[in-house]
Amino acid sequence: MGKMQVSLPARRDATAWVYVAAGAVMIVIYLGTSSAARYMLPVLIAASVVFAIAGGVIRNGPQPVLPWLLFAAAMAPFAVADAIWGLYQVRDAEVPFPGVADILYLGSYLLFAAGLVTLARQHSGRLHWAGWLDAGIVTMGFGILSWAFIIAPYLRSELSAWPLAVSIAYPVADLVLLCVAARLMFTTGKRTPSILLCSGWLLVLLAADGLYYGTMATTGSAIAEDVSEVGWMVSSLLLGAAALHPSVGWAAHPSDGKEGMPRKRLSILIALILVGPLIVLANVGDLRSQPVNITVIVGMLAGLSLLLVLRIAFLAQYAHSRANEARTQAHYLAASLREQEELQKQLSHQATHDPLTGLANRALLASAWSLLSAGAPSLSPPRC
């Protein structure tokens, strides 16, 4: 086990925000020019993330450093894939699909997932099944959406086996990232700025992927391709900023291990559970006319229901343990009160009785006389 980190107050370091601002300028240039050379700007941003992570590791010293090394290793092939794709755009040539760029992109996603797993282990202290169940419910809910809007349309297309497999691999990789990211967010204690920037990176990345591959699957071509490209650039900048922010070196704040469920999370899970039935009722993409789609969605709903039952079992177990803790604390409190009462009696007896004879001492007699005097003021005090 590595050395325990000490939480430090935020030092004034604007490097992360300067980095984001510089990247924002590049994005504005990308949107404001029609030159084919603009397709090299995503390459520069992706490559800059590798150096940003390296700089953040040196400056801030995150422990463990493995997640960030994996993120840097993932961004390197991502940048190379962007360069390959950009060169084809500059030459106004069709990008081969599937090609080397796709292999590099998918390899990057695997490294991203590995980095997120190690980061989740760091911030959750130990792997709690409750966190994985919540992440599984989220993933299964979005998996139904992915099937309805991306995978099923691809299956109905005329793609051959290899292009079809690569096309489906992208949404599957996104679901893997979503699962691990949900695991991280559900079990992290105090969320530092670095963790929040990481969360933003993943959310923007998955949103850009969903827009690109969803429209590609349903229409045969990417709609609002520039929007997706900007999303990928923004996500890269957020990852670089997460590494550069001083909070990346702060102590991890693991969750306390409780398997309770906040109301917001419960609301999200319930909404995701309703996704499948609503999609079937709305007959999205004419799903009900294809038995395979109904079979898959029903299977996903069954799996989601199983995860939900297991999660409820964890909640019941957690409630039972809390009730036992409350009973134990009540028992200890009652025992403490009895001990305190007995001690008060002993102290009172010692204060009013002679320790040798056990007879009432002068203090008790004086107290008794004062009480009698209050009722009969004509009495004279006793001679001592």
Side-chain angles (χ1 to χ4, degrees), residues 167-343:
S167 298
I168 294 176
Y170 279 106
V172 171
D174 281 341
L175 290 175
V176 172
L177 288 181
L178 176 64
C179 181
V180 184
R183 174 69 178 84
L184 174 64
M185 292 306 298
F186 285 157
T187 56
T188 299
K190 182 180 178 182
R191 293 179 176 84
T192 63
S194 179
I195 289 295
L196 293 175
L197 287 167
C198 274
S199 303
W201 155 56
L202 287 165
L203 290 175
V204 177
L205 174 66
L206 296 176
D209 282 357
L211 176 63
Y212 184 85
Y213 299 113
T215 56
M216 181 71 75
T218 53
T219 66
S221 61
I223 299 175
E225 186 173 334
D226 281 348
V227 176
S228 294
E229 189 62 62
V230 169
W232 290 321
M233 288 189 284
V234 170
S235 68
S236 298
L237 290 174
L238 292 176
L239 178 59
L244 288 171
H245 197 278
S247 63
V248 75
W250 295 358
H253 295 273
S255 64
D256 54 10
K258 296 178 180 178
E259 280 78 19
M261 184 182 293
R263 289 184 178 180
K264 290 183 179 180
R265 189 189 308 180
L266 180 61
S267 300
I268 293 173
L269 298 182
I270 291 175
L272 290 173
I273 291 169
L274 297 175
V275 165
L278 290 176
I279 286 178
V280 173
L281 288 175
N283 197 25
V284 175
D286 199 23
L287 287 176
R288 286 184 293 189
S289 64
Q290 303 167 40
V292 63
N293 291 329
I294 297 298
T295 302
V296 170
I297 291 178
V298 169
M300 288 185 175
L301 287 174
L304 196 152
S305 300
L306 176 61
L307 292 176
L308 183 62
V309 169
L310 293 175
R311 189 61 177 93
I312 292 174
F314 269 94
L315 282 175
Q317 183 181 9
Y318 172 65
H320 181 69
S321 65
R322 290 298 299 271
N324 287 338
E325 290 176 5
R327 283 194 293 268
T328 302
Q329 292 175 358
H331 174 75
Y332 286 147
L333 180 60
S336 298
L337 290 174
R338 285 195 298 269
E339 292 177 1
Q340 183 178 6
E341 183 179 355
E342 184 64 27
L343 180 60

Side-chain angles (χ1 to χ4, degrees), residues 42-257:
V43 182
L44 295 177
I45 290 179
S48 73
V49 178
V50 179
F51 295 99
I53 293 175
V57 167
I58 295 172
R59 286 168 57 88
N60 303 316
Q63 292 295 331
V65 72
L66 180 59
W68 299 98
L69 295 180
L70 289 170
F71 292 154
M75 285 306 303
F78 198 94
V80 174
D82 274 352
I84 294 173
W85 187 85
L87 287 174
Y88 277 97
Q89 299 299 317
V90 170
R91 294 165 52 188
D92 196 21
E94 184 177 356
V95 182
F97 179 81
V100 176
D102 297 292
I103 296 174
L104 293 172
Y105 281 133
L106 292 173
S108 295
Y109 279 50
L110 291 177
L111 290 171
F112 283 143
L116 286 170
V117 168
T118 56
L119 191 63
R121 184 178 292 113
Q122 171 196 2
H123 282 267
S124 60
R126 59 186 178 89
L127 296 180
H128 302 295
W129 282 108
W132 280 118
L133 288 173
D134 288 349
I137 293 173
V138 170
T139 306
M140 196 72 72
F142 278 97
I144 294 174
L145 290 172
S146 182
W147 178 272
F149 292 100
I150 302 177
I151 298 177
Y154 271 133
L155 292 175
R156 293 196 300 268
S157 67
E158 298 179 356
L159 291 174
S160 57
W162 176 235
L164 178 62
V166 173
S167 298
I168 294 176
Y170 279 106
V172 171
D174 281 341
L175 290 175
V176 172
L177 288 181
L178 176 64
C179 181
V180 184
R183 174 69 178 84
L184 174 64
M185 292 306 298
F186 285 157
T187 56
T188 299
K190 182 180 178 182
R191 293 179 176 84
T192 63
S194 179
I195 289 295
L196 293 175
L197 287 167
C198 274
S199 303
W201 155 56
L202 287 165
L203 290 175
V204 177
L205 174 66
L206 296 176
D209 282 357
L211 176 63
Y212 184 85
Y213 299 113
T215 56
M216 181 71 75
T218 53
T219 66
S221 61
I223 299 175
E225 186 173 334
D226 281 348
V227 176
S228 294
E229 189 62 62
V230 169
W232 290 321
M233 288 189 284
V234 170
S235 68
S236 298
L237 290 174
L238 292 176
L239 178 59
L244 288 171
H245 197 278
S247 63
V248 75
W250 295 358
H253 295 273
S255 64
D256 54 10

Side-chain angles (χ1 to χ4, degrees), residues 1-20:
M1 183 178 292
K3 294 181 179 179
M4 182 179 295
Q5 291 174 275
V6 179
S7 295
L8 299 175
R11 67 176 187 263
R12 295 185 179 278
D13 187 343
T15 305
W17 310 121
V18 171
Y19 174 76
V20 171

